[in-house]
Amino acid sequence: MTKISKSDIKDMLAKAEHLVLTVHVSPDGDAIGSMAALYEYLIGQGKSVTMVVDDEVPSKFHFLSVTAYIKDVSQEASILDGLEQPDLVVVLDASTRERIGKVAAWCQTPILNIDHHISNSQFADYLYLDAEAAATGEILADLFMTWQAKVTPAMANALYLAMGTDSGFFKYSNTTAHTLQMGAYCLEKGAQPDLVSEQAEEITVKALEGMKEALQTVTFHKDGHVACMSIPYALMEKVQGQTDGFIEWIRHVDTVDIAILLKEKEPGQTRVSLRSKGADVNRVAAVFGGGGHIRAAGCSISLPLEEAKKKLLEAI
Ligand SMILES: [Mn+2]
């Protein structure tokens, strides 16, 4: 693993003719926005670029028109069989090799990883890691500004989505003066903050119905410092995986420091999201082989939901 500088990234991208871009599974706005912006930049440089993700792209990100070119290899693994090894694979917003799912096994090319997770496992051949950045999109905005690259309004929307997603639209503790400067840079380049936040925060009636049920599961622990919300498997089916924003409801409670959302993705498989106002939840997630950031992290526990919850509470 070689740590590289901003200008190294520019050179590496310039040298590669054919590139594959990918992001983590369960792609969020930072993953998709970052990939969309870098895709458009590289196309503008005359490159041949393919975007692959081992998951579906949530429909709320379809307003970024280039998402139509993202190949979902989760349903059709044969797409990867037919995909030539490029000169360079760029992995965005993913901190481990496992996080890119099936793309990891396919990839035999050097990997450039651009990321902002403090828990980054340094799996890539070339790494640009800025754990101070609120989002991978913030890193890319800074790169484009430094390189004086042409940033179209569509790219600006994508980068604004990326930063908005990971910073709670500039309200979490990871929001720095630099994050806001990059947000301003996006607006100068034509980003539409109202459009982006309306799209990113959009939910379906079904998801709201699911949220009503999820709220019934909320429990408090450790004198109200810890709150848990549970989405058992049956409820996961109902909400169709749309649980964005659920954790905010319990995070906002006055006594709560650590908010936990437990989702039973498959029976016996529990995906955990942790948010905090102060405590180091990256440490808690690491106990179960996960990670992320100090105030936002996640892990997967191979146990039914209730048992996973018990183990998790013991680790806090
Ligand atoms: Mn991110």
Side-chain angles (χ1 to χ4, degrees), residues 28 30 93 116-117 134-136 166 293:
D28 57 13
D30 187 21
D93 200 40
H116 70 123
H117 293 91
T136 299
D166 275 18
H293 313 280

Side-chain angles (χ1 to χ4, degrees), residues 210-229:
M211 193 188 292
K212 279 158 62 179
E213 277 185 56
L215 282 169
Q216 306 287 328
T217 70
V218 174
T219 54
F220 293 95
H221 311 269
K222 320 230 177 207
D223 294 328
H225 280 73
V226 179
C228 293
M229 185 189 277

